[in-house]
Amino acid sequence: MADNGDKTHFGYKTVEADKKAEMVADVFHSVASKYDLMNDLMSFGVHRYWKRFTIECAAARPGMKVLDLAGGTGDLTRKFSQLVGEKGEVVLADINDSMLKVGRAKLQDQGVVSNVNYVQANAEALPFPDNHFDIITIAFGLRNVTEKAKALASMQRVLKPGGKLLVLEFSKPLNPMMQKAYDFYSFQVIPRMGSMVAGDAESYQYLSESIRMHPDQETLKQMMLDAGFDQADYVNMTNGVVALHRGYKF
Ligand SMILES: C[S@@+](CC[C@H](N)C(=O)[O-])C[C@H]1O[C@@H](n2cnc3c(N)ncnc32)[C@H](O)[C@@H]1O
């Protein structure tokens, strides 16, 4: 289904396109306080490895400007803040104020303050100047965006020439046996875990469905090229359960 028509998908449901952002917002308002704990439980801590690899590929250096888009509770922001140092800047941008509040409180507790700014923004219409950031990351965020093509074009616009976009997202497992086990885990275990830990099975049912509706590796790579990136590639992790897409602007 095109994501720029009147209808779009919210997990497996077909909904009015202009209602999806609100529905996604309800999911993240509901899970914000238990978001970090659920990530560790659901992924057995492996999300930390996926994020570490993303940070390594970003190769942030002192003085750089980094946008952690859909940054939520700030796992990537924390690392970037250390890497870019006092002369650099990290913007943690997210559409959802509950996620931003949890993220800001967590980072302030950890002493991450001086070079981080928090911005409530929709990835589809980024409120930043052209050619502004050296690095943009969007981790487990693009799946939730209604108009992905528009969001990718917006990221391309605010990225500096010579900069790179890193899209960390669930993707399509390479091995069919892996897919079966993963389907069982996603639909039989994760919503129950969501119910027990976050008191919300539905949001975690949405998580599993939205992963299945997200473009696969090659489709997303082509979408990045269509959005104006001069080169794009990707690396599969955990047998393609997750992929890191990289987009370059020359
Ligand atoms: C699964 S969380 C990921 C958070 C964090 N990046 C991480 O990896 O832990 C997805 C985040 O995307 C945000 N989000 C969803 N739609 C968005 C949009 N259109 N623009 C910006 N952020 C969005 C949500 O509010 C949520 O915080």
Side-chain angles (χ1 to χ4, degrees):
M1 190 185 315
D3 68 359
N4 58 354
D6 293 335
K7 302 268 184 201
T8 191
H9 49 78
F10 174 77
Y12 288 167
K13 294 190 188 86
T14 299
V15 299
E16 300 295 327
D18 61 2
K19 293 282 178 307
K20 175 166 168 165
E22 224 174 280
M23 297 170 85
V24 170
D26 287 344
V27 167
F28 289 102
H29 286 310
S30 164
V31 304
S33 64
K34 293 285 192 278
Y35 177 80
D36 287 336
L37 174 63
M38 276 299 289
N39 271 357
D40 275 333
L41 291 174
M42 284 185 302
S43 73
F44 307 102
V46 177
H47 76 104
R48 292 167 185 260
Y49 157 78
W50 297 328
K51 288 173 178 165
R52 204 156 49 234
F53 183 68
T54 304
I55 297 281
E56 279 166 22
C57 288
R61 294 192 307 276
M64 281 185 162
K65 286 196 174 77
V66 179
L67 172 62
D68 179 13
L69 182 55
T73 58
D75 283 351
L76 295 183
T77 292
R78 187 181 61 242
K79 287 303 293 175
F80 282 133
S81 163
Q82 291 162 1
L83 292 167
V84 303
E86 285 303 312
K87 295 214 165 77
E89 185 196 358
V90 186
V91 176
L92 195 172
D94 199 288
I95 201 170
N96 189 295
D97 61 329
S98 301
M99 292 295 278
L100 277 175
K101 272 184 200 139
V102 173
R104 188 201 296 251
K106 182 172 94 176
L107 296 183
Q108 286 179 345
D109 270 1
Q110 294 170 350
V112 181
V113 199
S114 59
N115 59 1
V116 178
N117 287 310
Y118 300 86
V119 175
Q120 188 170 8
N122 186 341
E124 292 167 12
L126 291 170
F128 307 111
D130 294 355
N131 306 323
H132 189 69
F133 293 101
D134 298 285
I135 297 165
I136 302 176
T137 55
I138 178 163
F140 305 112
L142 189 61
R143 196 180 70 243
N144 300 295
V145 173
T146 309
E147 297 210 29
K148 295 175 185 57
K150 203 168 160 187
L152 289 168
S154 190
M155 292 177 225
Q156 196 273 351
R157 178 183 67 74
V158 302
L159 189 66
K160 277 184 192 167
K164 63 179 163 250
L165 165 69
L166 297 165
V167 183
L168 178 65
E169 192 49 271
F170 292 103
S171 203
K172 189 159 175 43
L174 307 176
N175 177 327
M177 289 302 287
M178 175 80 173
Q179 178 75 59
K180 280 208 166 136
Y182 179 51
D183 282 348
F184 178 82
Y185 183 67
S186 301
F187 291 104
Q188 302 305 322
V189 180
I190 285 184
R192 286 188 174 86
M193 220 185 252
S195 166
M196 282 189 299
V197 177
D200 182 353
E202 245 180 71
S203 290
Y204 286 91
Q205 176 76 22
Y206 161 72
L207 165 75
S208 297
E209 293 180 3
S210 67
I211 290 170
R212 296 333 185 260
M213 299 306 288
H214 189 65
D216 65 16
Q217 286 87 335
E218 282 296 322
T219 309
L220 180 53
K221 177 180 161 184
Q222 189 57 49
M223 286 170 72
M224 291 169 76
L225 295 172
D226 293 344
F229 287 92
D230 296 294
Q231 196 181 314
D233 61 13
Y234 60 86
V235 181
N236 285 311
M237 288 184 271
T238 318
N239 195 255
V241 166
V242 161
L244 179 66
H245 281 73
R246 298 177 288 209
Y248 303 89
K249 178 169 172 179
F250 297 152

